[in-house]
Each structure stands twice: as structure tokens, then as C-alpha cells.
């Protein structure tokens, strides 16, 4: 992600000022950084994280991640899986 976009997200600059949820599709390093997610979630307790088990495991292994785990929704993903619908914050 471009540095400018990353800075806008972490400073809650519109349109990143009221994120309800962050959705992680897979935990590859080019799409997911557990330390950055933890940092964001700590500053934004109303934001939920929807992520596959691999990403949740990486996140929960970090020091200080325990208190943000109530914000995390872990999903199981399999190849050619039927789509799922989730309701987050209504």
C-alpha cells in the first residue's frame, strides 16, 4: 500500500475516519501486516476485523493483542467455498 494511503488510514483522514470493519482475505505479507492491524485496532476499538484463521493466529501471537481479540471475527476459508454473509455493527 502506498505510504500516503497508510498515513491517511492511521490518522483517520477521510474516507478512513469511520471504518466499521477491516476485511482480510488472506494473510500474505503483501496484504496483511499483523503489527499494523494491531496498531490500528488499538486506536479504533469500534472497528471489527474479519479475517481468516491464519491472520488471526498471527495477530494473536503479538504481545498486547489479547485486549483487541473481542473485535476480531475469525472465519474459515476453503477453496471454492460457498460465499458467506456476515453482519457487523448492524
Amino acid at each position: 500500500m502506498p505510504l500516503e494511503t497508510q498515513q491517511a488510514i492511521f490518522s483517520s483522514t477521510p474516507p478512513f475516519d469511520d471504518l466499521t470493519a477491516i476485511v482480510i482475505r488472506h494473510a500474505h505479507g503483501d496484504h496483511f501486516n499483523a503489527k499494523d492491524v494491531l496498531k490500528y485496532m488499538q486506536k479504533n476499538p469500534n472497528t471489527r476485523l474479519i479475517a481468516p484463521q491464519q491472520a488471526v493466529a498471527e495477530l494473536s501471537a503479538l504481545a498486547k493483542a489479547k485486549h483487541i481479540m473481542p473485535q476480531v471475527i475469525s472465519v474459515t476459508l476453503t477453496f471454492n467455498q460457498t460465499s458467506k454473509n456476515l453482519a457487523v455493527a448492524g
Side-chain angles (χ1 to χ4, degrees):
M1 148 181 355
L3 181 59
E4 182 177 292
T5 302
Q6 187 176 14
Q7 289 172 337
I9 290 169
F10 282 105
S11 64
S12 297
T13 301
F16 307 108
D17 55 336
D18 191 26
L19 297 180
T20 303
I22 299 169
V23 179
I24 304 296
R25 187 171 154 185
H26 58 277
H28 293 168
D30 59 336
H31 298 278
F32 174 75
N33 181 301
K35 290 180 182 178
D36 284 346
V37 171
L38 175 60
K39 177 181 168 183
Y40 185 86
M41 301 296 285
Q42 288 173 322
K43 290 183 178 181
N44 297 279
N46 294 322
T47 302
R48 300 293 176 257
L49 173 69
I50 302 165
Q53 293 171 336
Q54 180 187 14
V56 173
E58 287 183 35
L59 183 62
S60 64
L62 297 175
K64 300 182 182 181
K66 185 176 181 177
H67 71 278
I68 62 115
M69 296 313 287
Q71 296 168 247
V72 177
I73 300 168
S74 177
V75 294
T76 303
L77 301 176
T78 58
F79 186 69
N80 287 331
Q81 173 181 333
T82 304
S83 61
K84 294 180 180 182
N85 293 315
L86 297 172
V88 177

